[in-house]
């Protein structure tokens, strides 16, 4: 007999085998008969106008079908159409090929469509664009005077008198921290295959996206179509990191080409073009902290300036965790935007939190050092038992256990010394650092459908996505266990606008939102099964109730010990299938609490004294994220977060040439991300945390908490190793060597 208890077990990914065998079909791989291929031409100036586009040479190339520009796209794309998408920030969304305005370097200015990709790419190189360039700027630090609060999203509440308390504090620090642009760099570049059906005036589209309804809403708005006329599929996502939260211009391009040419059209972005839309914005932080002699915080001032484009106001939650994470009566936070001539930034891997906590947790380390107390002790002395920001209790918070277990496993007490430069290993200075991580445990509305077939198969579906997070796995587990069907007979479907509504996959909220919907639809299926059993077997079921019945091993198990097999039940009752839909939303009781996941990161770094090279032999992270649904996929999420944290700390830097406003390192050779040699021993420990409030499954979400404290912990360890405080990321070797 199978055991159908799956939640909390390290179940393999149902999609894993397909992926490693190359059998998982990604958006750009749904090859169609008679398909055409597009290649995008990008602007070479950062601001100004297109004067002339000469495409004669390109059009002469055999196999080229059409060159689309703002001068020849259909008029219906310019009148009364909405180019926004569900995540569009305030402003005017970018409209591809709309007019002669150039808003940023790399902007698509033409689409060459040909019978094959190579021809399109070759011909794209022959398109000549003349520009009238205007002045531009791409550096927020040169434009601080343009900082604005206008259209900034969700400024947190301040409390007390931070300035007064800072002035009176016996110990203070005041420092500036800077983080450059990061580009998402998922393994799978953006890709779209659009199939226009001229007879029905409808689209079938395969799009690389973190939520199919985003693409659907965008195409509906742009092409003025009803919902039923736009079907989007994306069963697999080769990594997102936020790059797929908003539909991108290749979606528009493919749809345009297919509709006009009446053939299926495919447009994929090259790796270089993946640097031509959205990124984690450059950010400057100014932090002032004040504390008593004993390390108790009396003042926190946290001011942040984020980069945005000239056409949209993109906000991040950079300072929003500041008033939550530590106990302090005087907190003043502020967030402003600085528009520069780049594409609108986008959410990227723990947007805001990863940035803000780099600053705050570096500052906490600086203050602890100045006072002369252990940075771990400093955190404990300022532990927040209540969310002072929202004036609410936490739904659960095992951060204290995170600190304790990280310290025990890392050997913090034995290893750490307050004074830097205390330990050497050959040529390397050895240092230790730590930081706290925090991320909000959010829940969105989501729906799920369950079908139990008479052959015993359970099919549960929801229009969510799986960016690699393990969504297929955990949803299959929740569905199978709740209905009591073995996992081999359970299938979870996602990534299609035909399926019940679900939010985009982002914000670490999928387990919480879709998981709750799957749990609840499973419960609803239990009712269906029980009711059918009562109708079909009135004698066997007499004197039993739903609540004293169990659902396991493909059977309904009644209180009196009688078992009713699902297949037998449906067959006897003459039902092909049972079907039920559930719309889940956050419980109202949740609003009385603050729901956050927490983490503690401890890092050992080695810094070569002669060469400045930094390596990280050991990272320990402890995570309190509520119920861990699948330790294997959960660990994988956290490992990914750590690796990106190493990237942020030591490597990632989206450099824009100030003379041209163009990304200089738009490739994976020069935009450095961690490779195997950069990643050594990582230990992930999940701390027990029971949360009955956050949602029906008790899981807080793990997609982003893994990255949040990592960059600060590394920067703090670099200080401990070298005595050099680096406040500008990435910490490259020139910043730790004495070059003067
Ligand atoms: Mo995430 S940056 O919300 O995809």
């Amino acid at each position: 007999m199978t055991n159908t208890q799956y939640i909390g077990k390290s179940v393999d990914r149902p999609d894993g085998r397909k992926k490693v065998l190359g059998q998982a079909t990604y958006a750009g791989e749904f090859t169609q008969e008679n398909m055409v291929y597009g290649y995008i031409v990008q602007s070479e100036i950062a601001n100004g106008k297109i004067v002339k586009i000469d495409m004669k040479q390109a059009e002469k190339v055999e196999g080229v079908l059409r060159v689309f520009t703002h001068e020849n796209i259909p008029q219906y794309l310019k009148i009364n159409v909405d180019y926004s998408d569900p995540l569009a920030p305030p402003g005017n969304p970018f409209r591809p090929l709309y007019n002669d305005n150039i808003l940023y370097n790399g902007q698509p200015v033409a689409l060459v469509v040909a019978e094959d990709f190579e021809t399109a790419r070759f011909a794209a190189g022959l398109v000549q664009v003349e520009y009238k360039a205007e002045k531009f700027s791409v550096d927020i630090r040169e434009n601080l005077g343009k900082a604005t609060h206008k259209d900034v999203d969700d400024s947190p509440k301040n409390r007390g008198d931070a300035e007064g308390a800072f002035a009176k504090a016996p110990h203070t620090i005041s420092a500036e921290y800077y983080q450059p642009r990061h580009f998402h760099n998922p393994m799978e570049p953006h890709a779209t295959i659009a199939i226009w059906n001229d007879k029905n005036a409808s689209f079938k589209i395969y799009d690389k996206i973190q939520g199919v309804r985003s693409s659907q809403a965008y195409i509906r708005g742009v092409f003025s179509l009803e919902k039923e006329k736009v079907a989007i599929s994306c069963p697999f996502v080769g990594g997102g990191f936020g790059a797929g939260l908003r539909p991108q211009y290749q979606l528009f391009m493919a749809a345009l080409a297919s509709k006009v040419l009446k053939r299926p059209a495919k447009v994929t972005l090259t790796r270089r073009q993946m640097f031509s839309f959205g990124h984690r914005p450059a950010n400057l932080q100014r932090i002032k902290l004040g504390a008593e002699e004993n390390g108790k915080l009396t003042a926190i001032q946290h001011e942040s300036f984020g980069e945005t484009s000239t056409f949209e106001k993109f906000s991040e939650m950079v300072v929003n965790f500041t008033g939550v994470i530590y106990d302090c009566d005087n907190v003043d936070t502020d967030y402003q935007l600085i528009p520069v001539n780049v594409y609108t930034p986008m959410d990227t891997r723990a947007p805001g939190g990863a940035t803000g906590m780099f600053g705050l947790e570096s500052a906490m380390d600086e203050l602890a050092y100045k006072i002369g107390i252990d940075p771990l002790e400093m955190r404990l002395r300022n532990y927040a038992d209540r969310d002072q920001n929202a004036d609410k209790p936490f739904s659960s918070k095992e951060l204290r256990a995170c600190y304790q277990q990280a310290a025990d496993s890392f050997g913090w007490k034995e290893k750490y010394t307050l004074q830097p430069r205390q330990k050497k290993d050959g040529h390397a200075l050895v240092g230790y650092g730590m930081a706290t991580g925090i991320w909000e445990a959010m829940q969105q509305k989501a729906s799920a459908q369950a079908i139990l077939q008479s052959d015993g198969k359970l099919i549960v579906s929801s229009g969510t996505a799986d960016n690699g997070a393990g969504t297929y796995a955990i949803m299959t587990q929740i569905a199978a266990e709740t209905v009591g069907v073995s996992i081999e007979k359970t299938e979870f479907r996602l990534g299609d606008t035909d399926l019940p509504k679900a939010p985009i996959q982002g914000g670490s909220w999928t387990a919480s939102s879709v998981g709750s919907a799957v749990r609840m639809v499973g419960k609803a299926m239990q009712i269906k099964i029980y009711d059918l059993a009562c109708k079909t077997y009135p004698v066997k079921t007499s004197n039993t109730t739903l609540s004293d019945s169990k659902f396991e091993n493909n059977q309904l198990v009644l209180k009196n010990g009688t078992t009713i097999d699902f297949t037998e039940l449906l067959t006897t009752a003459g039902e092909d299938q049972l079907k039920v839909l559930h719309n889940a939303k956050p419980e109202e009781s949740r609003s009385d609490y603050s729901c956050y996941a927490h983490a503690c990161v401890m890092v050992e770094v080695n810094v070569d004294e002669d060469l400045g090279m930094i390596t990280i032999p050991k990272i320990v992270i402890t995570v309190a994220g509520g119920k861990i649904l699948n330790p294997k996929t959960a660990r994988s999420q956290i490992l990914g977060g750590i690796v990106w944290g190493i990237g942020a700390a030591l490597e990632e830097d989206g450099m824009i040439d100030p003379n041209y406003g163009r990304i200089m390192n738009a490739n994976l050779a020069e935009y450095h991300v961690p490779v195997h040699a950069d990643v050594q021993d990582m230990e992930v420990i999940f701390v027990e945390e029971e949360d009955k409030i956050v949602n029906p499954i008790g899981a807080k979400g793990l997609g982003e908490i893994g990255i949040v404290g990592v960059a600060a912990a590394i920067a703090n360890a670099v200080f401990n190793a070298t005595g050099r405080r680096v406040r500008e990321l990435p910490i490259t070797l020139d910043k730790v060597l004495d070059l003067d």
Side-chain angles (χ1 to χ4, degrees):
M1 197 180 267
T2 38
N3 177 2
T4 47
Q5 302 295 304
Y6 300 112
I7 299 173
K9 304 271 162 62
S10 284
V11 169
D12 288 345
R13 292 168 190 255
D15 48 320
R17 203 177 150 76
K18 276 192 203 148
K19 282 185 172 172
V20 294
L21 292 177
Q23 291 167 351
T25 312
Y26 292 85
E29 299 176 328
F30 286 88
T31 303
Q32 307 293 309
E33 296 254 326
N34 199 29
M35 192 159 77
V36 300
Y37 297 79
Y39 195 89
I40 292 160
V41 180
Q42 296 164 269
S43 98
E44 288 165 12
I45 63 163
N47 187 26
K49 292 222 180 283
I50 301 170
V51 175
K52 192 177 157 211
I53 301 185
D54 180 354
M55 43 210 203
K56 278 193 226 76
Q57 295 301 318
E59 283 171 334
K60 270 190 218 152
V61 176
E62 194 185 328
V64 168
L65 298 161
R66 190 75 64 98
V67 181
F68 291 100
T69 71
H70 69 280
E71 288 173 325
N72 66 13
I73 65 164
Q75 273 306 305
Y76 59 74
L77 293 171
K78 300 197 177 186
I79 301 158
N80 280 335
V81 285
D82 179 7
Y83 281 79
S84 67
D85 61 86
L87 277 195
N92 297 304
F94 175 64
R95 296 163 296 182
L97 309 185
Y98 192 80
N99 56 28
D100 58 354
N101 282 338
I102 296 295
L103 302 168
Y104 71 103
N105 198 316
Q107 174 180 322
V109 293
L111 175 74
V112 180
V113 183
E115 295 288 351
D116 63 83
F117 177 77
E118 291 305 331
T119 302
R121 178 157 74 173
F122 171 72
L126 301 175
V127 175
Q128 305 278 330
V129 188
E130 247 178 67
Y131 302 97
K132 185 176 174 297
E134 280 158 38
K135 268 186 33 196
F136 68 91
S137 184
V138 290
D139 190 337
I140 58 165
R141 285 181 290 191
E142 286 172 8
N143 290 281
L144 288 169
K146 288 190 191 155
T148 173
H149 288 106
K150 194 169 177 294
D151 293 327
V152 165
D153 184 27
D154 198 24
S155 274
K157 275 193 307 216
N158 296 324
R159 57 180 180 261
D161 170 18
E163 207 167 316
F166 180 82
K168 275 188 258 160
H171 294 289
T172 60
I173 66 112
S174 171
E176 263 190 29
Y177 303 88
Y178 181 77
Q179 181 174 263
R181 294 173 194 92
H182 293 162
F183 286 85
H184 303 86
N185 278 308
M187 219 188 315
E188 178 201 17
H190 279 36
T192 305
I193 291 176
I195 306 141
W196 171 252
N197 181 327
D198 211 39
K199 265 195 226 120
N200 303 335
S202 67
F203 272 120
K204 166 74 194 177
I205 293 175
Y206 299 94
D207 188 34
K208 186 247 165 84
I209 192 79
Q210 288 173 233
V212 284
R213 277 172 202 272
S214 281
S215 307
Q216 186 188 45
Y218 177 80
I219 289 295
R220 284 184 61 194
V222 173
F223 290 89
S224 308
L225 292 167
E226 292 303 312
K227 197 161 98 186
E228 307 70 50
K229 299 289 185 184
V230 183
I232 313 279
S233 278
C234 183
F236 298 100
V237 183
F241 311 123
L245 289 174
R246 299 185 68 188
Q248 290 309 328
Y249 59 80
Q250 95 288 340
L251 169 61
F252 170 85
M253 300 288 191
L256 164 74
S258 179
K259 184 153 190 263
V260 172
L261 300 173
K262 301 188 174 33
R263 289 170 66 177
K266 168 164 154 173
V267 181
T268 50
L269 298 189
T270 62
R271 182 54 64 183
R272 170 170 286 273
Q273 289 169 338
M274 286 298 289
F275 289 76
S276 67
F277 66 87
H279 55 273
R280 189 201 294 282
N283 185 281
L284 178 72
Q285 302 175 58
R286 291 179 179 150
I287 301 180
K288 288 179 175 181
L289 301 179
E292 306 281 6
E293 294 292 350
N294 63 4
K296 180 75 196 67
L297 285 169
T298 53
I300 304 178
Q301 290 176 277
H302 192 172
E303 190 184 15
S304 172
F305 301 90
E307 175 189 43
T308 192
S309 67
T310 55
F311 49 97
E312 285 176 307
K313 295 275 177 50
F314 171 78
S315 296
E316 286 185 306
M317 308 285 121
V318 176
V319 297
N320 303 54
F321 298 99
T322 301
V324 181
I325 188 69
Y326 295 117
D327 183 86
C328 181
D329 291 337
N330 305 293
V331 178
D332 197 342
T333 60
D334 187 58
Y335 178 73
Q336 297 188 62
L337 290 173
I338 299 176
V340 291
N341 301 94
V342 298
Y343 190 90
T344 308
M346 276 166 68
D347 287 323
T348 308
R349 315 181 204 122
T355 306
M357 290 300 278
F358 160 65
L360 185 67
E361 288 298 279
S362 295
M364 283 293 279
D365 199 72
E366 297 202 39
L367 184 60
Y369 177 71
K370 209 164 170 187
I371 302 172
I373 59 176
D374 183 306
L376 174 58
E377 183 57 32
M378 178 83 185
R379 267 66 173 194
L380 292 169
R381 285 185 195 174
N382 291 290
Y383 196 85
D385 286 305
R386 186 180 170 83
D387 175 4
Q388 288 176 287
N389 226 14
D391 192 22
K392 287 176 188 177
F394 292 106
S395 63
S396 64
K397 181 179 174 180
E398 294 295 341
L399 177 58
R400 226 185 273 278
C402 287
Y403 289 135
Q404 185 64 50
Q405 291 182 33
D408 290 348
S409 176
F410 189 83
W412 181 260
K413 287 251 145 51
E414 301 76 55
K415 286 179 176 160
Y416 182 80
T417 56
L418 191 65
Q419 283 316 309
R421 300 183 79 96
Q422 296 300 303
K423 198 169 161 191
K424 281 191 77 168
D425 181 4
H427 277 264
L429 295 162
V430 179
Y432 307 99
M434 58 88 53
T436 314
I438 179 170
W439 190 253
E440 195 176 353
M442 292 177 269
Q443 186 184 351
Q444 310 283 338
K445 283 186 193 166
S447 303
Q449 185 190 62
I451 295 173
L452 181 66
Q453 299 180 164
S454 58
D455 62 1
K457 202 171 165 189
L458 174 67
I459 300 165
V460 178
S461 59
S462 177
T464 180
D466 187 346
N467 302 338
T471 310
Y472 274 114
I474 61 169
M475 298 309 160
T476 309
Q477 289 170 260
I478 297 170
E481 175 165 328
T482 309
V483 185
V485 172
S486 65
I487 210 151
E488 295 76 21
K489 288 186 177 171
T490 305
E491 187 186 328
F492 182 72
R493 293 180 186 163
L494 55 72
D496 202 296
T497 45
D498 285 349
L499 303 177
K501 249 191 194 168
I504 47 155
Q505 182 161 68
S508 303
W509 60 49
T510 305
S512 169
S513 313
V514 182
S516 296
V518 170
R519 177 76 174 158
M520 298 315 284
V521 85
K523 293 262 185 198
M525 180 58 83
Q526 290 182 348
I527 298 172
K528 283 241 165 195
I529 294 168
Y530 182 77
D531 286 351
L532 185 65
C534 291
K535 244 177 37 196
T536 315
Y537 305 107
V539 180
K540 276 189 198 174
T541 52
S542 63
N543 295 321
T544 71
T545 63
L546 172 66
S547 58
D548 59 28
S549 307
K550 281 196 259 172
F551 296 79
E552 55 191 27
N553 310 320
N554 313 306
Q555 293 169 332
L556 167 64
V557 184
L558 299 170
K559 181 180 67 173
N560 54 25
T562 311
T563 58
I564 299 169
D565 182 82
F566 295 157
T567 303
E568 192 191 302
L569 169 64
L570 267 72
T571 311
T572 309
E575 300 278 0
D576 278 348
Q577 61 174 43
L578 297 178
K579 186 162 143 184
V580 56
L581 178 81
H582 185 87
N583 305 312
K585 60 177 197 306
E587 302 272 338
E588 252 164 53
S589 55
R590 195 185 197 272
S591 57
D592 297 336
Y593 295 86
S594 285
C595 304
Y596 289 91
H598 294 90
C600 172
V601 190
M602 290 187 174
V603 177
E604 176 183 340
V605 301
N606 289 359
V607 184
D608 188 294
E609 221 180 343
D610 303 320
L611 302 174
M613 234 175 75
I614 302 170
T615 54
I616 304 177
K618 176 92 187 164
I619 295 191
V620 173
I621 184 167
T622 46
V623 178
K627 172 93 183 157
I628 302 304
L629 300 168
N630 180 331
K632 191 166 153 181
T633 56
R635 179 171 179 272
S636 182
Q637 283 291 88
I638 302 301
L639 292 180
I642 296 174
V643 170
W644 282 125
I646 295 173
L650 303 182
E651 303 180 42
E652 292 185 71
D653 188 355
M655 296 177 187
I656 299 193
D657 185 331
N659 299 309
Y660 298 99
R662 188 181 309 156
I663 312 283
M664 292 189 282
N665 52 348
N667 57 72
L668 288 177
E670 292 162 297
Y671 183 93
H672 291 174
V673 298
V675 295
H676 275 89
D678 300 316
V679 178
Q680 300 182 39
D681 187 14
M682 299 185 284
E683 189 182 343
V684 179
I685 298 167
F686 290 109
V687 168
E688 282 252 335
E689 187 175 66
E690 198 186 0
D691 196 320
K692 291 198 154 66
I693 290 152
V694 66
N695 57 49
I697 52 172
K700 289 183 173 174
L702 299 169
E704 285 156 308
I705 185 66
I707 185 175
V708 177
V710 177
I714 293 171
N716 296 341
V718 167
F719 172 76
N720 186 249
T722 63
R724 178 72 58 92
R725 178 64 64 180
V726 182
R727 301 187 184 90
E728 176 166 341
L729 297 180
I731 309 171
T732 43
L733 50 85
D734 53 298
K735 293 175 187 159
V736 292
L737 279 177
D738 282 304
L739 292 174
D740 36 329

